[in-house]
Amino acid sequence: MTAHVIRWGILGTGRIAGVFAEGLRELPDARLVAVGSRAQETADAFGDKYGVLRRHASYAALAEDPEVDAVYIAVPNRFHAALAIQALEAGKHVMLEKPFAMNATEAEAAAEAAAKAGKVLTLGMNQRFGRVPQQVKALVES
């Protein structure tokens, strides 16, 4: 049986987007297939560095890309909710860096968009896998 491969697109081309791109290389059921930026030059530079062939000069173009199943959003915080909603409405699953919204209204709108689209909206909570949080978890479980 062949595992389903999730085709990822990344919105943003900064450091954290690069960390995510590197991490995807380790996952057998994930492929980085597209990048979206506010400028073609930065999309191209990111694509060259991480071997991404589909390069979009706008966030909207990546959200509409039919070759993308899920979108990782790594842009400044104030844009998280709006871009998540855009991607969800385009039929994509979404993973956001935190905070995923600037206020409760934005958070509720993003959650409603995910429910309406029937798609996953999740946060990149990488700190929970660090040594100290894992020790606390083990203590609580014991």
Side-chain angles (χ1 to χ4, degrees), residues 114-138:
K116 183 176 179 183
K119 298 297 177 182
V120 173
L121 170 63
T122 192
L123 301 181
M125 299 295 292
N126 61 345
Q127 287 85 1
R128 73 185 231 202
F129 299 106
R131 183 182 55 81
V132 172
Q134 288 299 301
Q135 287 174 333
V136 170
K137 180 178 184 269

Side-chain angles (χ1 to χ4, degrees), residues 84-93 110-120:
I85 291 167
Q86 183 178 55
L88 290 160
E89 288 176 347
K92 308 299 190 245
H93 299 287
E112 287 172 12
K116 183 176 179 183
K119 298 297 177 182
V120 173

Side-chain angles (χ1 to χ4, degrees), residues 3 24 27 31 35 40 43 50 55 58 62 70 75-77 82 89 91 96 102 106 108 114 116 119-120 134 136 141:
L24 283 180
L27 302 175
R31 298 286 177 275
V35 61
Q40 192 65 55
Y50 296 102
R55 303 164 183 190
S58 75
L62 184 133
V75 299
N77 299 343
E89 288 176 347
L96 283 166
M102 299 304 290
E106 285 185 3
E108 290 168 358
K116 183 176 179 183
K119 298 297 177 182
V120 173
Q134 288 299 301
V136 170
E141 289 175 346

Side-chain angles (χ1 to χ4, degrees), residues 12-23:
T13 57
R15 185 188 64 79
I16 197 70
V19 170
F20 188 80
E22 289 289 341

Side-chain angles (χ1 to χ4, degrees), residues 65-89:
D65 188 330
E67 297 299 314
V68 173
D69 302 314
V71 175
Y72 175 70
I73 299 176
V75 299
N77 299 343
R78 68 184 178 275
F79 303 117
H80 285 183
L83 291 174
I85 291 167
Q86 183 178 55
L88 290 160
E89 288 176 347

